[in-house]
Amino acid sequence: LTVPEFDRLVAKATAAQVQSASSITVLNELSPTLDCTQGNVAANVATFKTSAKQARNDLKAYKSAVKDILVALEAAKEAGEN
């Protein structure tokens, strides 16, 4: 089974996986405190929200990269059967 640009697709997926893992680690390390007596509640929540959005976007990119590999594999399989 020969998949055109397979190495590039795998490299893209691997990079997206690393980025996703990094974003999740950052998100897990954040623990916003909702103490209304402190003046930085809005900043804590905003930071958490931004990190969650980044992690979500990175995970979507990873999902897309893996899907690209699967689509390429399926196309190569179909081309080989014809």
Side-chain angles (χ1 to χ4, degrees), residues 6-20 58 61-70:
F6 184 73
D7 292 336
R8 183 187 65 79
L9 293 171
V10 170
K12 181 180 174 184
T14 301
Q17 180 186 26
V18 169
Q19 182 62 42
S20 295
D58 290 342
Y62 178 44
K63 177 183 174 183
S64 177
V66 170
K67 183 178 178 184
D68 290 344
I69 292 172
L70 295 174

Side-chain angles (χ1 to χ4, degrees), residues 26-28 30-32 43-54:
V26 168
L27 185 61
N28 285 335
L30 292 175
S31 57
N44 286 344
V45 171
T47 300
F48 184 82
K49 191 174 178 180
T50 300
S51 294
K53 183 176 181 180
Q54 182 65 47

